[in-house]
Amino acid sequence: MENQVVQRLMDFINESPTNYHAILNVKEQLVEKGFTQLFSGDVWKLEKGKKYFITKNHSALFAFVTGMGDVANGFKVICAHSDSPTFRIKPNAEMTVEGKYLKLNTEVYGGPIMYTWFDRPLSMAGRVLFKTENPLKPGVHFVNFDYPLMIIPHLAIHFNRAVNEGNALSKQKDMLPVIGMINEHFEKDGFILKLIADEMNVNTEDILDFDLMLYPYQKATLVGVNKEFIASPRLDDLAMVHAGVEALLASDGGDQTKVLAIFDNEEVGSGTKQGAASPVLRTLIERIVYNLGGGQEELYRAIHKSFMISADMAHALHPNYPEKHDPTNHPVLNGGPAIKINANQKYVTDGDSAAVFETLCEIAGVPYQKFVNHSDMAGGSTLGNVLLTQMEMRGVDVGNPMWAMHSVCETAGSEDHAYMIKVMTAFYNV
């Protein structure tokens, strides 16, 4: 099982260069397994024991299987996010250098480790918006330039002898990718638009706009003398997205409604209509309760009886920097899922919810670990505490340990992915 699920994870990541493609791939899996797509603007007629999903902005997805019991029995919710740190192509991106090189103007998305993006083949992918008869509803298609297209060249050490002693980077100057040489047939204006049109075999006049991001052309692979590690882009957080999908599809029916919530924009604060800070999940839960015959009283009871697993990757003990970690709570790769704890509530975990997850791990037969920040270092936050500003649901923050979070190539344990799927499946099944 471990080898198979790891291969499926790597295939999923390789086929999901952007958040849009990740959601498209999840959508295709759900449809293949008998899920029905709903649309927020339509009238819903839900039935117990049926499988549904909705999407938001083409970059977030919410799947659910309605329970067979009273809707007031509550919900079992697993949350993850589809986005990863990257660089977005700006409008009017074409920039020439000395009439010889063409580079692209980009904007940083999230908090990438920028040094890791130098000197490696890059490509771009994203969403393209087309003209339709309805000016308020442009057509949407997705594009992936699935070949090495550009590179961000580093400055040679001969021009900066102190580069290995620490070198501050300018996002506007240092991180611009070079896409080609300029020749006598080159037309700077509309170059990217023409490139998109040629790739998609459409007319440039039909394209209204686009959301394009860079991604490393490198594919996910196994590393280590015994293939103990997964080295891949976008493990944070596509690994947890994939684990949630696998668990939902492997789970049995039950009395409670099961929900998989894949949000977008976690890397930039979640404050969008498709992010965890929006009311999108609460609105969905309300519609499910009301559609299945419940009222406001049943909604309040359902939220009270619900439980959430917020799944976002965690930090593993680094072999070269052990002093950066808490002396007694530092997860290791292949040691099982990590329960995230923070006294200042950057994570939603408390003693109650940690005990629930520990019990689920015991039921699933998988090990678990605990992550706490070194007390002299401020840590990050994730989906759980943002989401709970919308509703007071019990929940726990967890994630599989990894190295180099937000690097262009991250590393996780190859055994941990199957562990997480097992405990998530146990959660849906209990």
Side-chain angles (χ1 to χ4, degrees):
M1 174 184 174
E2 291 175 3
N3 293 337
Q4 293 175 355
V5 298
V6 167
Q7 187 59 55
R8 290 200 295 270
L9 168 63
M10 294 192 298
D11 291 343
F12 173 67
I13 291 175
N14 291 339
E15 294 165 5
S16 304
T18 71
N19 47 353
Y20 302 113
H21 292 84
I23 295 306
L24 179 63
N25 289 326
V26 172
K27 174 181 172 179
E28 290 175 351
Q29 288 185 61
L30 295 178
V31 170
E32 183 180 338
K33 296 298 183 178
F35 281 71
T36 299
Q37 182 172 6
L38 302 175
F39 298 91
S40 296
D42 292 348
V43 175
W44 293 2
K45 295 181 180 180
L46 305 181
E47 299 177 36
K48 290 186 177 182
K50 299 296 184 179
K51 301 179 288 188
Y52 306 94
F53 72 93
I54 63 170
T55 63
K56 193 79 169 178
N57 192 51
H58 310 102
S59 61
L61 183 145
F62 305 88
F64 59 99
V65 180
T66 51
M68 294 300 296
D70 189 336
V71 70
N73 286 343
F75 295 79
K76 296 175 180 176
V77 183
I78 294 176
C79 302
H81 66 88
S82 62
D83 60 320
S84 301
T86 183
F87 295 82
R88 178 172 172 167
I89 305 296
K90 288 183 179 179
N92 307 308
E94 300 86 353
M95 301 174 68
T96 59
V97 181
E98 300 291 329
K100 296 296 183 182
Y101 306 126
L102 177 65
K103 62 183 182 180
L104 300 182
N105 195 7
T106 62
E107 184 175 14
V108 174
Y109 176 86
I113 302 177
M114 294 195 296
Y115 266 107
T116 63
W117 285 77
F118 283 120
D119 304 318
R120 62 177 66 235
L122 305 174
S123 192
M124 65 180 178
R127 175 175 68 171
V128 182
L129 292 306
F130 289 85
K131 293 178 182 177
T132 67
E133 295 180 357
N134 186 342
L136 298 182
K137 290 186 178 181
V140 178
H141 294 280
F142 306 100
V143 64
N144 177 17
F145 293 82
D146 191 15
Y147 58 92
L149 186 60
M150 62 192 85
I151 198 164
I152 304 174
H154 203 287
L155 185 66
I157 194 171
H158 309 81
F159 298 111
N160 183 8
R161 295 289 184 180
V163 63
N164 292 324
E165 299 170 15
N167 184 42
L169 295 175
S170 165
K171 299 173 183 177
Q172 185 62 67
K173 178 179 175 62
D174 297 312
M175 305 310 301
L176 302 185
V178 177
I179 194 169
M181 297 286 294
I182 296 173
N183 57 39
E184 64 273 15
H185 304 294
F186 172 75
E187 294 182 17
K188 172 180 175 291
D189 294 338
F191 175 84
I192 292 296
L193 199 63
K194 295 184 182 71
L195 198 66
I196 296 170
D198 289 344
E199 181 68 20
M200 303 185 73
N201 196 26
V202 298
N203 296 321
T204 56
E205 295 80 11
D206 293 330
I207 299 175
L208 292 171
D209 214 325
F210 52 82
D211 297 305
L212 292 181
M213 279 75 73
L214 305 188
Y215 72 91
Y217 191 68
Q218 169 190 354
K219 307 302 181 184
T221 187
L222 290 174
V223 179
V225 66
N226 294 310
K227 298 184 178 180
E228 304 100 318
F229 313 124
I230 307 170
S232 172
R234 302 181 298 282
L235 283 170
D236 175 22
D237 191 34
L238 291 188
M240 296 296 94
V241 169
H242 184 263
V245 173
E246 290 265 336
L248 183 65
L249 296 180
S251 62
D252 303 321
D255 288 341
Q256 289 181 291
T257 295
K258 298 175 290 189
V259 179
L260 175 63
I262 306 171
F263 294 98
D264 191 13
N265 304 127
E266 189 275 343
E267 299 293 356
V268 292
S270 297
T272 60
K273 63 184 179 300
Q274 59 272 5
S278 79
V280 58
L281 180 58
R282 183 183 177 105
T283 300
L284 174 64
I285 287 176
E286 289 177 353
R287 290 191 73 167
I288 294 171
V289 170
Y290 298 154
N291 207 274
L292 292 177
Q296 198 166 58
E297 181 69 17
E298 286 72 25
L299 172 66
Y300 296 152
R301 291 168 58 200
I303 292 175
H304 177 78
K305 294 178 182 179
S306 297
F307 193 89
M308 173 195 66
I309 294 177
S310 167
D312 199 358
M313 296 293 277
H315 298 294
L317 178 69
H318 196 292
N320 296 335
Y321 303 95
E323 72 279 1
K324 297 290 186 180
H325 299 268
D326 182 78
T328 61
N329 298 280
H330 42 256
V332 297
L333 300 185
N334 294 316
I339 302 170
K340 302 179 184 180
I341 301 168
N342 183 270
N344 295 306
Q345 302 302 297
K346 288 189 175 182
Y347 303 127
V348 299
T349 309
D350 55 21
D352 167 67
S353 61
V356 170
F357 193 79
E358 291 164 17
T359 303
L360 292 171
C361 287
E362 292 174 0
I363 292 172
V366 305
Y368 62 86
Q369 309 175 82
K370 292 187 177 180
F371 170 82
V372 185
N373 284 307
H374 189 291
S375 295
D376 293 331
M377 298 181 185
S381 60
T382 182
L383 296 166
N385 58 343
V386 175
L387 180 61
L388 295 194
T389 61
Q390 298 295 325
M391 50 187 166
E392 65 283 13
M393 186 182 293
R394 295 165 67 211
V396 61
D397 273 306
V398 303
N400 278 344
M402 65 182 297
W403 295 328
M405 186 178 291
H406 291 191
S407 170
V408 78
C409 181
E410 301 163 324
T411 304
S414 57
E415 297 177 23
D416 287 328
H417 194 59
Y419 288 151
M420 183 62 81
I421 293 171
K422 288 179 181 178
V423 71
M424 286 181 171
T425 304
F427 169 59
Y428 278 143
N429 283 341
V430 293

